[in-house]
């Protein structure tokens, strides 16, 4: 890992079916982050194509038909225009950028997050565990990868995945150093403090269990589609490799320094339980 990485968690509004407008929003935030010296910027789950609200109040069959037609019409392939545009924004700002979109993977859809930088696609991550209200739209993905970048080894867990410890452990066993955690969540009471109280303990545990930094951001704003709507409170936080809260904010952009020295100290501590793992004992868990 680089000695010091300046990372930004960016919480912003995007809208379903308005990919070009959403990308322009990402470009504007990326330029602001770049002006602050940021090297790595994380945007929320489905920030490129927009989050389709999944709490219909009318005829469910009619809603589902409209949603599936809309999802297929807005989904983007990995080699499509949206990823190329993210690479262009990365080139313009000189940053690594992680953003999410609804992926057309041929005969199925995925909720996918990509990491781009240095003129290339470093990697992609498909949401593995799909909550019941999202199951009608996209399929679960395979085990996540960890990619080597000039800033360090980076991996991603998308929203609900973070609630299952195995998701981040799959990153930890690949020596992930920086974990990115994009969310689109609206837990009670519906404000950013509610989001922080809901996911904060989980994120602290995931980072401590695996000795990695966690950068997290939540979707922000009201979205409507096919007669359904949801309101997302936003929120950002950065967690250290001992599970300590480095910073959090209810605003739209949180910038924090990730120190390789801090990671070394966390992994040298007695409480770093990762080194005491005995996988040969855990076969029955599978």
């Amino acid at each position: 890992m680089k000695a010091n990485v300046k990372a930004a968690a960016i919480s912003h509004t995007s809208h379903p079916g308005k990919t070009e407008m959403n990308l322009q929003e990402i470009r504007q935030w990326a330029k602001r982050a770049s002006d602050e010296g940021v090297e790595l910027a994380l945007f929320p789950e489905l920030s490129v194509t927009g989050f389709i609200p999944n709490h219909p109040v009318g005829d469910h069959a009619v809603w589902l038909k409209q949603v599936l037609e809309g999802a297929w019409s807005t989904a983007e392939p990995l080699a499509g225009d949206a990823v190329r545009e993210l690479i262009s924004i990365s080139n313009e700002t000189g940053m690594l950028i992680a953003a999410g979109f609804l992926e057309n993977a041929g005969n199925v859809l995925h909720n996918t997050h990509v990491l781009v930088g240095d003129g290339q696609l470093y990697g992609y991550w498909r949401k593995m565990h799909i909550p019941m209200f999202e199951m009608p739209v996209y399929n679960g993905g395979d085990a996540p990868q960890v990619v080597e970048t000039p800033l360090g080894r980076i991996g991603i867990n998308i929203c609900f995945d973070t609630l299952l410890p195995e998701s981040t452990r799959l990153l930890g066993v690949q020596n992930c150093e920086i974990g990115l955690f994009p969310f689109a969540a609206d837990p009670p009471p519906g404000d950013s403090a509610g989001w922080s109280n809901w996911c904060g303990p989980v994120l602290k545990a995931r980072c401590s269990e695996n000795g990695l930094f966690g950068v997290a951001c939540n979707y922000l704003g009201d979205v409507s589609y096919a007669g359904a709507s949801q309101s997302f409170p936003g929120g950002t936080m950065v967690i250290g490799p001992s599970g300590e809260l480095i910073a959090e904010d209810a605003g739209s952009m949180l910038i924090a320094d990730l120190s390789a020295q801090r990671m070394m100290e966390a992994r040298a501590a007695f409480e770093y339980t990762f080194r005491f793992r005995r996988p040969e004992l855990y076969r029955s868990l599978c």
Side-chain angles (χ1 to χ4, degrees), residues 151-250:
L151 305 181
R153 295 181 59 77
I154 298 176
I156 297 177
N157 283 167
I158 302 172
C159 196
F160 193 65
D161 286 339
T162 311
L163 303 186
L164 288 87
E166 294 87 350
S167 302
T168 314
R169 185 67 92 196
L170 287 167
L171 303 179
V173 296
Q174 299 176 71
N175 187 26
C176 181
E177 296 166 323
I178 303 172
L180 303 180
F181 300 95
F183 285 82
D186 55 353
D191 56 17
S192 61
W195 172 77
S196 176
N197 291 335
W198 172 74
C199 74
V202 173
L203 283 168
K204 291 174 182 178
R206 298 296 90 86
C207 292
S208 175
E209 290 162 350
N210 297 285
L212 52 82
F213 285 101
V215 179
C217 66
N218 192 27
Y219 205 99
L220 175 66
D222 301 323
V223 292
S224 298
Y225 195 85
S229 62
Q230 277 181 265
S231 181
F232 295 96
T236 55
M237 68 174 65
V238 176
I239 308 295
S242 294
E244 72 278 21
L245 178 66
I246 293 176
E248 69 175 323
D249 200 321

Side-chain angles (χ1 to χ4, degrees), residues 83-283:
V83 173
R84 283 194 289 270
E85 186 65 11
L86 287 173
I87 292 173
S88 175
I89 296 170
S90 174
N91 287 339
E92 292 171 16
T93 58
M95 296 190 303
L96 269 60
I97 293 175
F101 63 99
L102 196 57
E103 180 200 347
N104 182 337
N107 56 355
V108 295
L109 302 178
H110 289 290
N111 179 335
T112 300
H113 228 77
V114 295
L115 178 68
V116 301
D118 304 308
Q120 63 181 301
L121 172 66
Y122 270 109
Y124 63 92
W125 293 260
R126 293 166 171 164
K127 193 171 186 176
M128 295 175 281
H129 307 94
I130 312 302
M132 63 174 66
F133 292 120
E134 300 174 24
M135 284 181 178
V137 181
Y138 40 79
N139 290 50
D142 293 330
Q145 60 184 318
V146 170
V147 296
E148 189 77 47
T149 78
L151 305 181
R153 295 181 59 77
I154 298 176
I156 297 177
N157 283 167
I158 302 172
C159 196
F160 193 65
D161 286 339
T162 311
L163 303 186
L164 288 87
E166 294 87 350
S167 302
T168 314
R169 185 67 92 196
L170 287 167
L171 303 179
V173 296
Q174 299 176 71
N175 187 26
C176 181
E177 296 166 323
I178 303 172
L180 303 180
F181 300 95
F183 285 82
D186 55 353
D191 56 17
S192 61
W195 172 77
S196 176
N197 291 335
W198 172 74
C199 74
V202 173
L203 283 168
K204 291 174 182 178
R206 298 296 90 86
C207 292
S208 175
E209 290 162 350
N210 297 285
L212 52 82
F213 285 101
V215 179
C217 66
N218 192 27
Y219 205 99
L220 175 66
D222 301 323
V223 292
S224 298
Y225 195 85
S229 62
Q230 277 181 265
S231 181
F232 295 96
T236 55
M237 68 174 65
V238 176
I239 308 295
S242 294
E244 72 278 21
L245 178 66
I246 293 176
E248 69 175 323
D249 200 321
S252 292
M253 184 166 67
L254 174 66
I255 299 174
D257 291 319
L258 315 182
S259 163
Q261 176 67 22
R262 190 171 195 156
M263 173 169 290
M264 186 276 291
E265 291 172 355
R267 293 185 176 185
F270 174 77
E271 296 83 2
Y272 178 53
T273 58
F274 188 94
R275 68 173 179 267
F276 298 108
R277 293 173 64 251
R278 295 185 59 197
E280 70 274 12
L281 303 181
Y282 312 147
R283 293 193 181 99

